[in-house]
Amino acid sequence: MIKEFTTPIENISETAAKEELKFLSFEMARADDAYYKHDNPYLSDSEYDTYKKRNNDLEAKFPHLIRENSPNKRVGASVKDGFSKISHNVPMLSLSNIFEETEIAEFIDSIKRFLGNHNNIDIFAEPKIDGLGFSARYEDGIFVSGATRGDGKTGEDITLNLKTIYDLPLKLNTNKPPKIVEIRGEVYMDKNDFLELNKKQAELGKKIFANPRNAAAGSLRQLDSKITKERKLSLFAYTWGEISDDSLWSSQQEFMNIAKSWGFPICEHIKHCQTPQEIAKYYNELIEKRPNLSYDIDGAVYKVNDLNLQERLGFLTKTPRWATAHKFEAEKAETIVNNIRIQVGRTGALTPVADLEPINVGGVIVSHATLHNEDEIKRKDIRIGDRVIVQRAGDVIPQIVTVIKEKRKDENQEFIFPHNCPECGAYAIREEDEAVRRCTGGLTCPAQAIERLKHFVSRNAFDIEGFGSRYIEDFYKEGLIKNPADIFELQKKNEQAQIPQDDFFSKDESNFEPLEKREGWGKKSVDNLFNAINSKKQNMELNRFIYSLGIRQVGTATALLIAKNYGAFATWQKEMQIANDKNSEEYQKLISIDSIGEVVAKDIIEFFNETHNQEIIAKLLAHVNVANYIDDTDYSSPITGKTIVFTGTLEKMTRSEAKANALKLGAKVAGSVSTKTDFVIIGANAGSKAKQAKELNITILTETEYLEMIS
Ligand code: IVH
């Protein structure tokens, strides 16, 4: 459910901006995880971009509020469990985005300014391929390993999977290959191959992919490379990583030519541009070409062609300054709302969903759209039977953009949002200031209980393999599993169920059919399930355990922060009881944690106040050994946490470069000298700031000394 930002940037107060930035950093981390790690996005691209734009606007207005966990400081998400890891010696970065044509000139101007009003900038424009980034390493011209982007620093080892892709040269077509070179680009699935695959999947009753990108990701990130081989994947090369000889090419254009001669497919719709007008023309032509391309693209990428200039421009925390991505608008189509139904979530939230007359939107069949909440339906005035415009942006959750009012029939009545839970009938209330209506059935509402169980076994929580939604629903309905602790008693119950009926005294009263005897189950699958459950009893990571409890507003990122701050579950549990008293130090400690404000704190404390929750935790802890949290973050740069002031004319770098570099190493860069300053770095003709530093006894370093220190 996307949050709406009602206060215009111009009017927003610092306090409100701080809250919004906090919300955005955590929400976007969660969305990144869903997108990159689980190939299962829950925010649409345009929703994600709305958040991103708001975050950037807020950060631009209040630079001092930029958070340590700002979305602009992260790249993608960390690696999927099960793959071995490959670390990228040269990080695989991401691209900044622009959305409007007017931003093209801003991008060019900012480059010129950074370079000290450089004249002509040669821009190399390419399509932005909508697939999955890869890096392929060649040693002496032979393909040796391949990786996904992962979090930019560490990716998944997909060597065997990449090898199955016909487009990838296993040997570079050259007599003089460099000792080491990593070629990077995008793996994608051709639109026709995607349709074929889905047809085959449907025939076999297997998972249907929402779009070619998801199909490519799902196919490339297979632990079994035989499956990858069966799926037809393609690739384009567009950049490089580590290289032992950096004199092979001096521009993006030269790189593309050489990569092509080595045997890599290169996207042909590329162009040199000199002015913002030429770039805009390229962009608009690309929009025209898009439907006829055999692969999905989601925008254009503009790169400074000259590598010397690229080097001078350098990088922000996770994106190069010398490139940007110009994203396309979402794809749209017209269809009919056949029904509006209400889903009940884990926390009782009633979420309306529109069932649509299936429609092809940019190559993907869309049959439902999220309506977010009651107000959203009212605001857009969406009614059953209406003709509507739906939009999809390379993702799984389409949205209704607008209703075509002229086509509305008289019988299309206003939708009345239910005031009772459709699953359990309990009253559903909507708190003041809340957009969501929630079922009050709590523990008695089956929909909530089932969703809580699904959450408990899900990948970021206990990650119990093979425990699919269908089993949970069946087991719940049979009364076999009512709450998470019951999962760990299932094996015992199942063993008891095998005891013959007439053994009256030891028979379990629930009287159910042993799993082994059920249709679709065999001894092996039952063993697998119990092995998967039992393997989670030891050394459960603290942050996963916290997340698995399903406390409202405690997502993976917040759970991790709680784990870091409390170290042990028992400590946290004890302190949460004391935190009932808002004057206690324990309460203050809780709300001083980055993502936890008073609202989240209230949910956490209320969770622990509920006797039933305490009982389930006690039962869980009887089965599960939760490990204490060990912090392995590397805070190793000599200037991490230090405050630095640059003054005078620097010779080896521009002021912007120096600042960017220091920030990257974890330092704070200040504009003026104070007692809080740790180092003052002086260039030529340094004036009053150097004097002040002397007076305050602050360490003064020349540019060379400074560079030596951080090298
Ligand atoms: S250049 C340092 N060129 O878009 C930047 N990326 O959001 C290196 N992408 O991670 C990337 N088409 O996976 C580049 N022509 C293109 C691209 C492209 C698609 C992807 C890539 C990257 C993401 C950035």
Side-chain angles (χ1 to χ4, degrees), residues 36 52 75 91-97 125-134 149 184-187 236-240 252 256 267 270 297-303 315 318-320 322-325 327:
Y36 290 104
K52 192 166 182 166
V75 184
M92 285 183 81
L93 295 170
S94 165
L95 291 169
S96 60
N97 289 316
E126 307 170 17
K128 184 166 186 297
I129 315 297
D130 196 9
L132 200 77
F134 76 91
R149 186 171 71 156
R184 294 177 174 176
E186 203 85 354
V187 170
F236 282 126
Y238 50 64
T239 193
W240 65 96
Q252 173 68 10
M256 295 290 250
C267 184
I270 48 183
I297 60 175
D298 59 344
V301 181
Y302 310 138
K303 300 175 182 173
F315 300 88
K318 71 163 198 172
T319 56
W322 44 264
T324 197
K327 301 287 276 287

Side-chain angles (χ1 to χ4, degrees), residues 459-471:
R459 207 188 311 242
N460 287 327
F462 265 64
D463 191 19
I464 302 182
E465 215 169 299
F467 211 160
S469 303
R470 230 189 52 221
Y471 298 144

